[in-house]
Amino acid sequence: MKKNITAIITLANLVAMSCAHAEGMCKAHEAETFTCEMQKSFSSLCESKDVGTLSCRSAVANKVNFEISESRARKGKVFYFSSTPYSGGGEAHIRFSRAGYTYYLYDKSVKTDEGPTFSAGIVVYMGATKISDQVCGIRCLDTPGSV
């Protein structure tokens, strides 16, 4: 459980740095860890405030069409955290699998000559084949007039 909390804090810090945010799918008793707004859908990774379990939900037109959660009934770990440091930045990943598909939530910061660039998204594999690579829309909460 302590590794989950450390991973969540690290990912949350990277998400905050990149300003990737949308109105998420987290419930009142959950904290939003990652939300990705795409052209027609959005997805959220949420942490239960009381027991620290994670849930990932995806929705189209505000209707949940996908959900996976850690729970007491589920055997084994569901979500896996990894990170890659870059000079002047880094990349964080949360990975999980369901029904033959592997999902990667990512958030990265890269130093460039023009300043840092930020991106976040969701990559989906079916077996070893990449079938989707969706980039999140970026909305900074602290910036007036941001979309």
Side-chain angles (χ1 to χ4, degrees), residues 58-80:
S58 183
V60 175
N62 291 326
K63 183 176 179 176
V64 174
N65 62 356
F66 175 89
E67 181 171 4
I68 187 168
S69 295
E70 294 177 324
S71 69
R72 296 189 207 313
R74 195 172 197 60
K75 302 285 190 240
K77 195 170 178 179
V78 176
F79 298 96
Y80 297 87

Side-chain angles (χ1 to χ4, degrees), residues 28-93:
H29 69 281
E30 296 174 324
E32 182 179 286
T33 300
F34 176 88
T35 290
C36 183
E37 182 178 14
M38 294 164 280
Q39 192 171 36
K40 295 181 180 180
S41 65
F42 54 95
S43 296
S44 294
L45 181 67
C46 310
E47 179 188 12
S48 169
K49 293 176 185 176
D50 53 350
V51 293
T53 58
L54 296 174
S55 296
C56 186
R57 296 179 192 91
S58 183
V60 175
N62 291 326
K63 183 176 179 176
V64 174
N65 62 356
F66 175 89
E67 181 171 4
I68 187 168
S69 295
E70 294 177 324
S71 69
R72 296 189 207 313
R74 195 172 197 60
K75 302 285 190 240
K77 195 170 178 179
V78 176
F79 298 96
Y80 297 87
F81 174 78
S82 63
S83 63
T84 304
Y86 300 143
S87 176
E91 187 168 347
H93 318 95

Side-chain angles (χ1 to χ4, degrees), residues 76-143:
K77 195 170 178 179
V78 176
F79 298 96
Y80 297 87
F81 174 78
S82 63
S83 63
T84 304
Y86 300 143
S87 176
E91 187 168 347
H93 318 95
I94 296 283
R95 173 181 53 90
F96 60 94
S97 298
R98 178 175 169 188
Y101 295 91
T102 302
Y103 301 82
Y104 292 87
L105 312 178
Y106 71 87
D107 192 9
K108 76 178 161 181
S109 168
V110 179
K111 181 180 174 183
T112 67
D113 290 339
E114 295 78 36
T117 60
F118 305 99
S119 63
I122 301 172
V123 179
V124 182
Y125 285 84
M126 183 174 161
T129 305
K130 184 190 297 186
I131 62 170
S132 179
D133 188 350
Q134 299 291 315
V135 177
C136 301
I138 303 296
R139 293 183 357 172
C140 294
L141 295 178
D142 299 327
T143 306

